[in-house]
Amino acid sequence: MEKTYIMLKPDAVQRKFIGNIISRIENKGYNIKQMKMFTLEEEILKEHYSHLVEKPFFPELVEFMTSGPVIGMIIEGDDVVIGMRHLMGPTKWEEANPGTIRGDFANNTTENLIHGSDSVENAMIEIKRFSKYLN
Ligand code: DAT
Ligand code: MG
């Protein structure tokens, strides 16, 4: 079955939304295969967000993503990559509909609570990338 890499970001932990978000994933019927809390470092973020390293907001993104622990998860289910992207809502928080995680809780472009792989191919890369933290 398809797998995706999900990460609850430092704001989700700090704002005490992790139970709410995990409930949404469970309610949808997806299986949590692995889950662990850890703290990220700049080096892995340069890899994970390599498409954004040249952006002016990248330093702010690193500061946020290293500001506290995250919860990394491998989630399994039918078409789970696209399904989790729908549960999350779009990147632009102001375009995220109510009922989505970002639509319900995000009020900032950088601090948007959750990461989810954007393709099956990237999901496999990200699961490999974060496996040293998950085990
Ligand atoms: P997503 O997290 O929806 O996959 P992405 O991969 O394009 O979005 O960007 C990764 C994260 O970087 C995103 O969740 C929040 C931050 N980010 C993206 N665009 C931004 C912008 N214009 N200003 C500030 N932060 C941004
Ligand atoms: Mg992305």
Side-chain angles (χ1 to χ4, degrees):
M1 217 186 298
E2 195 169 288
K3 291 185 176 71
T4 191
Y5 181 66
I6 296 298
M7 197 155 56
L8 308 188
K9 296 183 180 182
D11 57 336
V13 177
Q14 198 264 328
R15 294 175 65 197
K16 304 193 190 301
F17 285 137
I18 61 179
N20 183 300
I21 295 170
I22 291 167
S23 288
R24 292 171 189 235
I25 295 169
E26 289 189 322
N27 290 348
K28 185 73 180 170
Y30 296 141
N31 299 316
I32 300 173
K33 301 297 287 183
Q34 285 193 55
M35 177 161 77
K36 197 155 179 181
M37 184 180 270
F38 49 85
T39 303
L40 294 171
E41 279 162 6
E42 182 166 354
E43 193 183 319
I44 196 161
L45 286 166
K46 281 187 175 155
E47 219 182 284
H48 182 59
Y49 286 142
S50 60
H51 58 300
L52 301 173
V53 169
E54 302 302 324
K55 302 280 188 189
F57 59 80
F58 188 72
E60 187 190 326
L61 181 59
V62 170
E63 193 183 332
F64 164 58
M65 290 297 294
T66 59
S67 67
V70 299
I71 295 176
M73 299 190 272
I74 297 174
I75 306 294
E76 182 191 71
D78 286 334
D79 295 316
V80 69
V81 171
I82 187 75
M84 276 304 309
R85 294 291 299 195
H86 287 308
L87 279 189
M88 289 162 55
T91 309
K92 291 185 176 171
W93 66 275
E94 68 275 26
E95 292 174 4
N97 284 323
T100 66
I101 293 161
R102 287 169 170 174
D104 287 348
F105 302 138
N107 48 35
N108 181 301
T109 307
T110 307
E111 303 186 12
N112 58 12
L113 299 132
I114 184 166
H115 166 81
S117 309
D118 61 9
S119 67
V120 174
E121 188 190 356
N122 281 335
M124 290 189 293
I125 293 169
E126 291 175 2
I127 287 168
K128 212 171 280 173
R129 173 176 301 142
F130 287 95
S131 62
K132 65 177 177 192
Y133 289 95
L134 291 167
N135 290 317

